[in-house]
Amino acid sequence: MHSPLSRSNPDKPALVDGHDQYTYSQVDLEVQRFASGILANAEDLNEERIAFLIPASPEYVTVMHGIWRAGGIAIPLNTASAEAELEHCLTSTSVKRLVAVAPFLERIRPLCDKLAIVLSSVAELLSDNLKPMPELSADRRALIIFTSGTTSLPKGVVTTHKNIKAQITTLVDAWAWSENDAIPLFLPLHHVHGIINVLSCALWAGATVHLMQKLDIEKLCAEAVKGTYNLFMAVPTIYVKLIDHLESLDAATAQPIKAAFGAMRLNVSGSAACPVAIFEAWQQLTGQVLLERYGMTEIGMALSNPYVGERRAGYVGQPFPGVTVQLFSEDHQPVTEASASGEIRIKSDTVFLEYWNNPKATMDSFRDGWFCTGDIAVIEEGYFRIMGRSSIDIIKSGGYKLSALEIEGKLLAHPAIAEIAVLGVEDRTWGESVAAVVVLREGQTLDIDTLKTWCEGKLSSYKLPKKLVIIPELPRNAMGKVVKPKLKALF
Ligand code: MCA
Ligand code: AMP
């Protein structure tokens, strides 16, 4: 699989960006030009890591597919990341070349200079001297996505061409993607949800992707009313925002929007638990029965409610065909008892290859060939229900996985902070929101706004605490470890 772009209908629009449309053959030609340009005198990039800082745009597709076609490993960076976070992504993967578009090109230049990375615009790398492309085996590395976890710094999740193909085809088959589909893409393009579930499935199936650089609820609703989309995929926070928006409108304005979502062939929710109240409110407003599914950066999608059949509120359904899922007890035994909980473990072609340059973390995340997700579930009447995570240090806010340890590590450097504990607290909009409990140094004061200003360049704004409580002492157990569950009561 060099470049998973549909070739069945070359004149069909693959991408729509504002008033501009790009057909499959136009996209393919740009990919070929970019792949030729980035290869320069080489015949194969041989898994060179090429990073790029590009928002949702035709250029994003050109670069991602161009790197794949030329035999490189694509590293899509988060356009909202702070410089210190980008530096970690670039140094931990020893990136030597980075591609960007304005305005990110100028923003990233000082960091590239500091790290001796060659920075290019997309335009500079488009060549009209089209070259033959290398033959790539399916087990070649193709993509690195950074994900937070129980360690303080994000890890690079490496997937191969074979993994990516399996992740795409699993969803294309299960959710009946076809070239008649049209979907809006507003999710960030440095995570599996945006990259695989929306963009790659659509381009594989020959569908049309309507690009939005940022979620714009009003524009989205206006396009929906025009009948632009028949498919919609989002995180629960976005459904909450849509519900709030619909409820803020007068009945005559809201009605066509509700009808437009109701007329789509599928609305999917994932990346975090969809509360039953949101599932029901969406159904009540639009008539759509949300399809909730469960996935993870390391495994793509694993569990899904059925496309045809009963979609159960509060449940994530059953394993996709080709994905083997087993619950395991704390002593690593398969859970056989009905309704007993256990950790979700996965075997599948969709499961990633390794954490980049981190064999210990890779080894620790597998047991007897099973990838251990750290998520706890039960099976009730044939449907999986996610009960939570084995680690309190992982926070899911608006679909982003955040590491409490990473946030604590960064904030501890603040001169007013003597001790800190970061945790996720229940929040209607974000699912969980980041909360911090702080012990101050003597004579110091602190509030959220000063903390926010201090964090600029160090931490992305969506990782910042939305709530801050100051206490004289953190509760600790006999081992000296902070007892975080006790702190939840403070919020
Ligand atoms: C934005 N803000 C947030 C978040 N997003 N705060 C907490 N959590 C968030 N997720 C803050 C910003 O820092 C900013 O704060 C303020 O909200 C407004 O920012 P803005 O960007 O305008 O917000 P938005 O456009 O409304 O963004 C909300 C969002 C976004 C659209 C829900 O968070 C998003 O796209 N989430 C999806 C993430 C995703 O795709 N996850 C998939 C990974 P201030 O004003 O103070 O600066 S999981 C995955 O891929 C697996 C495989 C799976 O299962 O899918
Ligand atoms: P990430 O590592 O960012 O890919 O996030 C993956 C994590 O998101 C999983 O390990 C789960 O904890 C969570 N997740 C994804 N989908 C769901 C869902 N439908 N319900 C509950 N949690 C989910």
Side-chain angles (χ1 to χ4, degrees):
M1 184 187 74
H2 292 191
S3 165
L5 260 189
S6 167
R7 294 183 195 269
S8 64
N9 203 343
D11 297 329
K12 182 162 187 277
L15 304 172
V16 177
D17 189 24
H19 295 297
D20 300 322
Q21 292 201 354
Y22 302 82
T23 63
Y24 273 89
S25 63
Q26 286 171 324
V27 172
D28 186 57
L29 178 60
E30 289 302 277
V31 170
Q32 194 69 7
R33 291 178 70 209
F34 182 84
S36 301
I38 193 118
L39 276 170
N41 297 322
E43 287 175 3
D44 187 332
L45 290 179
N46 284 317
E47 297 192 348
E48 178 187 346
R49 274 89 54 219
I50 313 265
F52 52 103
L53 193 58
I54 306 180
S57 59
E59 286 85 357
Y60 180 100
V61 176
T62 300
V63 172
M64 167 91 97
H65 283 247
I67 295 167
W68 282 344
R69 211 173 272 191
I73 304 180
I75 308 185
L77 299 171
N78 179 0
T79 53
S81 276
E83 187 171 296
E85 294 164 333
L86 292 173
E87 182 166 350
H88 166 69
C89 298
L90 295 168
T91 52
S92 63
T93 49
S94 318
V95 164
K96 301 276 179 291
R97 290 199 275 175
L98 191 149
V99 186
V101 293
F104 304 99
L105 199 61
E106 289 319 312
R107 271 184 223 166
I108 193 78
R109 194 176 296 283
L111 183 61
C112 289
D113 290 346
K114 175 177 159 190
L115 302 176
I117 290 172
V118 177
L119 173 65
S120 312
S121 68
V122 180
E124 279 174 275
L125 289 169
L126 293 172
S127 166
D128 287 323
N129 179 19
L130 300 185
K131 297 185 56 152
M133 290 297 136
E135 277 298 321
L136 304 179
S137 67
D139 55 10
R140 284 267 292 254
R141 294 170 180 82
L143 182 66
I144 298 181
I145 294 180
F146 279 85
T147 185
S148 296
T150 45
T151 51
S152 65
L153 287 171
K155 300 191 287 277
V157 173
V158 181
T159 42
T160 62
H161 288 274
K162 180 179 173 183
N163 297 145
I164 293 173
K165 181 176 174 184
Q167 291 183 1
I168 296 171
T169 52
T170 297
L171 300 186
V172 167
D173 294 346
W175 296 342
W177 274 92
S178 84
E179 58 185 34
N180 300 321
D181 288 324
I183 188 164
L185 173 54
F186 41 75
L187 292 169
L189 281 177
H190 62 284
H191 276 307
V192 164
H193 198 162
I195 298 173
I196 301 290
N197 296 27
V198 181
L199 184 62
S200 300
C201 284
L203 296 180
W204 181 280
T208 301
V209 182
H210 294 259
L211 300 165
M212 281 175 120
Q213 289 202 356
K214 192 173 165 10
L215 177 69
D216 178 340
I217 297 265
E218 284 183 18
K219 190 168 156 211
L220 195 62
C221 291
E223 284 299 324
V225 168
K226 287 190 217 157
T228 306
Y229 323 122
N230 70 335
L231 259 177
F232 189 80
M233 296 185 193
V235 299
T237 297
I238 294 176
Y239 287 103
V240 174
K241 286 176 183 258
L242 280 166
I243 290 166
D244 290 350
H245 178 67
L246 286 172
E247 286 176 346
S248 73
L249 300 173
D250 61 69
T253 318
Q255 190 45 42
I257 304 172
K258 294 178 186 174
F261 278 96
M264 292 183 197
R265 79 165 176 89
L266 181 63
N267 287 182
V268 179
S269 173
S271 299
C274 179
V276 171
I278 299 305
F279 179 102
E280 287 173 348
W282 192 247
Q283 183 171 11
Q284 202 242 324
L285 286 171
T286 66
Q288 273 284 350
V289 182
L290 279 177
L291 182 152
E292 182 171 8
R293 57 55 178 185
Y294 160 90
M296 189 176 183
T297 305
E298 287 87 337
I299 61 171
M301 297 302 113
L303 297 160
S304 172
N305 274 280
Y307 180 58
V308 178
E310 186 203 353
R311 297 180 197 157
R312 228 180 265 172
Y315 289 81
V316 290
Q318 287 144 352
F320 282 101
V323 179
T324 311
V325 181
Q326 173 67 55
L327 299 181
F328 280 85
S329 61
E330 273 179 29
D331 57 357
H332 308 292
Q333 298 309 307
V335 170
T336 46
E337 209 181 310
S339 292
S341 64
E343 183 193 17
I344 300 177
R345 297 189 183 173
I346 314 274
K347 278 185 187 173
S348 166
D349 283 349
T350 56
V351 173
F352 78 128
L353 178 69
E354 61 188 357
Y355 294 111
W356 179 260
N357 202 18
N358 198 340
K360 165 128 187 8
T362 307
M363 209 173 73
D364 290 350
S365 67
F366 285 89
R367 202 173 171 108
D368 302 327
W370 295 93
F371 173 71
C372 308
T373 64
D375 289 309
I376 311 298
V378 284
I379 308 172
E380 290 166 345
E381 291 168 35
Y383 281 53
F384 282 73
R385 182 164 64 83
I386 310 288
M387 302 177 72
R389 283 178 298 270
S390 53
S391 168
I392 195 168
D393 288 323
I394 291 174
I395 303 167
K396 261 274 158 164
S397 169
Y400 281 123
K401 189 188 211 178
L402 309 178
S403 159
L405 303 181
E406 181 192 0
I407 301 170
E408 286 166 4
K410 285 275 162 57
L411 298 188
L412 251 186
H414 189 284
I417 298 178
E419 290 182 77
I420 184 163
V422 166
L423 61 155
V425 295
E426 216 178 297
D427 185 282
R428 178 180 174 269
T429 302
W430 301 110
E432 286 180 301
S433 76
V434 177
V437 182
V438 165
V439 177
L440 291 177
R441 290 188 190 282
E442 219 174 305
Q444 299 285 337
T445 56
L446 187 68
D447 59 48
I448 291 243
D449 289 337
T450 46
L451 190 60
K452 206 167 153 179
T453 313
W454 180 85
C455 282
E456 271 168 31
K458 301 183 183 82
L459 207 57
S460 309
S461 73
Y462 61 85
K463 295 181 184 172
L464 298 185
K466 299 210 188 298
K467 295 176 181 123
L468 175 68
V469 170
I470 291 167
I471 57 172
E473 198 183 347
L474 294 178
R476 292 183 185 274
N477 63 16
M479 316 284 289
K481 203 170 158 0
V482 178
V483 191
K484 287 195 180 178
K486 268 196 181 170
L487 295 173
K488 287 214 175 195
L490 293 172
F491 301 90

